[in-house]
Every structure is written in structure tokens, then in C-alpha cells.
Amino acid sequence: MARIDRQVDARRLLCPLPVIRTQDAATEMQPGEMLCVVATDPGVMNDIPAWCRINGHRVEMIEERADEIIITIKVGGFERD
Amino acid sequence: MQRKAVSLISGGLDSMLATRVIMDQGIHVEGINFYTGFCVEGHTHAIRSKDKAKPKRNNALWVAEQLGIKLHIVDVIEEYKDVLLNPKHGYGQNMNPCLDCKGFMVRKAYEWIQANDFDFIITGEVIGQRPMSQRKDTMPVVARESGAGDRLLRPLCAKSLPPTLPEREDWVDREKLYKFSGRSRKPQMALAEEFGFNDYATPAGGCCFLTDVAYSSKLVDMWQHRSSRDYELDDIMLLKVGRHLRPRAHFKLIVSREEGEGRFLEGYRNQFVYLQACSHPGPLVLLDGEVDADDIQLAARIAARYGQGRDTERVDITVGWPDGRTEQLLVKPMPSDEIIPEWHV
Ligand code: SF4
């Protein structure tokens, strides 16, 4: 597992708040750094990857553990796929 | 020099069209979306388990992706309170302060373009589309009060309005803009077809819960029974969930209607007194307000009514307090004819 540079706790937040928290963290990070988001709203499974595609970040992994969803993101700028 | 515009993306068709019209003129466009806490996107869909199999997409993100633009989502929950609580131009049909809201969002967008070195703002507004905020006489109000002035361009109805800075400076060709007006959606649908857009969202009513009658009445009820008209994010979230009954002026019950809502309300057990039947399957119920033993007894009988023990003689209810204490109560479910319709908020 790659190192994680920053973690966002978005548990119990409803979309789009987890996306906003992810975005706000990502804007303070450098390209190539790893951001890990922990959330409980299943909406993040759609919204965070969509947000990443739009803004040039890359989802490295999505894990579902009990009631939590853990998304690991490599901060871009990547070009859109 | 390539000019840059930020577009207010709501997730609906109009802002999608307006953005595309401007992109086609060679302008670099990025989207901005404001999250007030009342937006229809997300939420209840995420809460209610019946929708879980098909999680609802966030339309603003979807629109941005279709258009191939970046989207900035901005949390304005705190600042929005003043817009909702003290709207200079009042409310629309329900608790929707649309005109102040538009002015506020354009002002935030204006601050954003100044901070990010963009040239102008676009919105999908159409004259006469909405009774309160999108009238010919209110268009200048939004431009003026937001501070954006003539850096605010509405591509879908620009030709019916005086030329703005981007038009006068030839950043965009006014001739290629539109003069849509009125409530008909036909011109928008035709343009959507021209651009090959399909599957776009068509929200009935407005873009937020404040245009909803049921939601607005719960909000007003909450304010009427509190000493202040303030709110926190949790308050406005809870208004979207469950059945709300107010049997006494000083407290109400929030009764989950299905499993997903129950799970969502569980997260609030450290903030509210809660009730849950343990002898029979039943909803999780939160009590909002200062309650005494009598109130809890009454609430427990109502809670029992909404569980599967409703036709039995006795239901065993667990009462929990935010500090973790619990107690058992044995109650007779309240007959349905004793639950008066006025209790339903
Ligand atoms: S419907 Fe809601 S979000 Fe849309 S302008 Fe009116 S108050 Fe603002």
C-alpha cells in the first residue's frame, strides 16, 4: 500500500460535502501525493470518481469496509481520460 | 488572449446550455456550484435505502463531465444563513428567497473570478422562466446587488438585455447568443438537441428544498417552536428525514420511515433522546425538544403505533439519552384515531 500524505474524514457527511472536503484537501496538495478519504455516504462511490475525472485526479482504489467507504486518490494534474 | 469565464452550474439544462454556448465561442469556461445545505442534490437519496441500489448521480458533476469542464463546489452553508433568514427581497411561494439567493451566488462567483483572474460570469437564466428571480426587471437587480455589474452574461437571453462587457469588448459575439423568454422549455429542448445533449436532469420546481411546500412548513414549524430563527446543518438535514409529529408545542418526534432513515438517525443518538421498540420491529424515533417523563410516555405510545406491535396490548420501548443512559418502558400503542392530523408537521 502506497504511503498516504493526507486523510479526510468525511464520515456521516452527506454528498456533496465529502466531495467538497476532498476538493479542499486536494487543492492544498502537490501533484503525485496520495489522499485518502473515509466516508459513509454511498453517494461518494459515484461522486468522488466523477469529481476526480473532471478535475484531473486519479482514483487509485475504492474499498468498502463494513459501513465505511475508503477512497484513495492520487492528486493530479492529470489530463482527462 | 483567451478569455475566461466561470459558469454557475446547477445541474439543470439551462446552465448546461449557457455554458456550451460560451465554450463554442472559444472562451475557457470552468463551473462553480454552491452548496447551501438545501440543494436537492444528494442527501435523501443517499439516506433512503430503497434508493441505495441506484445511487443518484450529482447532476452538477455530471453536467461538468459532459461539458468537459472543471467544477468547483463551494461550501456556503454558513454564509447562506443570512440570505435565508433576512432576505431583502422576501420569499417566493414557499421559503425560497430566490432573488437574494441569485444575488448572493453571483456575488460569490464575482469574488471567485477576482481571486482567480477570470473575466466574466455566466448563468443559465432566462427572462420570465421563474416568477421571482428571473424577470426582466429583476435581472439588473442581481447584476447590481452582486457587484458583478456587466461582467454577468446570460447567454440564453442576452439579446433581450443591454450588451454586457464581454459583448461590447467582442470577447463573445452577441449575434450568436439567444433571446429565450417565458416558461416554455421548447427553445431549450431544441438547443439541447442541437448540441446532442440528452439524459439531462429536469428538476420540477426549483433547485433546492426551499421551494418545496412540505419542507418549508417543517422549517417554519422548527423556527416557531424555538426561541430563535437560526439553524445548524444538522437541523436542516433532519427536516429531510422521517415523519415529523408535534404532539406538544415544546417537542416533536422524528420517526424513521424505513431502514436507511433509521440508520441515518442512529447517528444522532448522542444528541437527542431516542426511542426504539425492542419487543417488536419498529422505527427509530428522535425527540427534538426538552422532554420530561410525561412527554416520553406520550412519545413512546406514538412510537409504538408506528411499529409492528401496533395492534398488541403492550410494546416494550427502549428510551435512550444522549449521555448513554437507557431505560425500558412498557406502553400501550396509541390507537390511530388518537393521533390527530394536526400533529403531522
Ligand atoms: S430555488 Fe433555491 S437555490 Fe434556486 S434560486 Fe431559489 S432559493 Fe436559490
Side-chain angles (χ1 to χ4, degrees), chain B residues 62-294:
Chain B
W62 182 83
V63 162
E65 191 163 20
Q66 298 303 303
L67 292 167
I69 60 170
K70 286 191 173 184
L71 181 73
H72 309 276
I73 310 180
V74 186
D75 170 354
V76 291
I77 297 167
E78 277 304 311
E79 283 174 272
Y80 194 74
K81 289 181 180 174
D82 189 47
V83 180
L84 174 58
L85 297 173
N86 308 300
K88 194 163 137 192
H89 301 284
Y91 299 99
Q93 226 161 24
N94 296 297
M95 289 306 289
N96 48 314
C98 290
L99 188 48
D100 289 83
C101 176
K102 271 274 143 60
F104 167 78
M105 289 186 181
V106 175
R107 176 161 59 79
K108 296 301 295 175
Y110 185 52
E111 288 168 12
W112 192 92
I113 64 166
Q114 289 173 302
N116 292 278
D117 214 14
F118 274 50
D119 301 292
F120 61 101
I121 301 161
I122 52 185
T123 71
E125 291 166 287
V126 167
I127 294 171
Q129 181 88 224
R130 294 263 158 79
M132 185 179 190
S133 58
Q134 300 191 25
R135 297 195 318 251
K136 191 151 189 173
D137 59 325
T138 60
M139 296 268 170
V141 176
V142 173
R144 191 178 60 238
E145 292 186 358
S146 63
D150 64 359
R151 285 186 188 260
L152 171 60
L153 175 66
R154 287 110 162 177
L156 301 186
C157 61
K159 274 169 131 179
S160 308
L161 295 168
T164 56
L165 185 73
E167 296 159 273
R168 292 198 312 274
E169 294 289 326
D170 275 336
W171 301 339
V172 302
D173 180 355
R174 181 171 166 93
E175 282 317 302
K176 293 190 185 137
L177 304 179
Y178 295 85
K179 51 174 176 189
F180 295 170
S181 73
R183 302 191 71 112
S184 162
R185 305 286 300 154
K186 285 208 182 107
Q188 284 95 317
M189 282 151 78
L191 189 57
E193 182 147 351
E194 205 177 293
F195 287 144
F197 294 160
N198 44 47
D199 194 27
Y200 46 80
T202 43
C207 26
C208 82
F209 274 100
L210 296 170
T211 57
D212 184 77
V213 192
Y215 188 86
S216 289
S217 74
K218 284 187 210 162
L219 185 63
V220 172
D221 167 83
M222 180 181 88
W223 284 336
Q224 275 170 349
H225 295 93
R226 285 189 181 179
S227 46
S228 80
R229 264 175 100 239
D230 208 355
Y231 63 85
E232 295 304 326
L233 183 62
D234 277 340
D235 296 326
I236 62 181
M237 291 296 153
L238 284 171
L239 295 182
K240 294 175 192 169
V241 185
R243 212 187 290 278
H244 291 228
L245 293 106
R246 186 177 291 285
R248 298 279 180 271
H250 62 282
F251 80 97
K252 71 170 175 183
L253 291 80
I254 305 173
V255 184
S256 65
R257 289 171 294 194
E258 43 77 78
E259 218 187 304
E261 289 191 341
R263 260 198 313 276
F264 180 74
L265 293 182
E266 273 174 21
Y268 289 90
R269 286 182 304 188
N270 58 352
Q271 294 176 47
F272 294 89
V273 175
Y274 65 88
L275 308 172
Q276 172 109 59
C278 48
S279 53
H280 303 79
L284 180 67
V285 178
L286 302 183
L287 303 186
D288 182 13
E290 289 290 322
V291 285
D292 63 18
D294 265 3

Side-chain angles (χ1 to χ4, degrees), chain A residues 12-17 19-21 23-24 41-43 45-51 53-56 67 80, chain B residues 35 41-43 46-47 52 55-56 58 61 64-65 68-73 75 77 233 237 264 267-268:
Chain A
R12 291 200 57 237
L13 296 180
L14 299 179
C15 283
L17 282 172
V19 184
I20 298 178
R21 300 288 180 265
Q23 162 194 275
D24 294 350
D41 180 351
M45 308 243 264
N46 275 349
D47 292 0
I48 291 186
W51 177 82
R53 288 194 298 274
I54 292 166
N55 292 291
D67 279 339
R80 287 166 58 102
Chain B
Y35 180 64
E41 293 302 316
H43 303 143
I47 298 165
K52 206 174 172 182
K56 191 178 159 282
N58 177 304
L61 285 168
E65 191 163 20
I69 60 170
K70 286 191 173 184
L71 181 73
H72 309 276
I73 310 180
D75 170 354
I77 297 167
L233 183 62
M237 291 296 153
F264 180 74
Y268 289 90

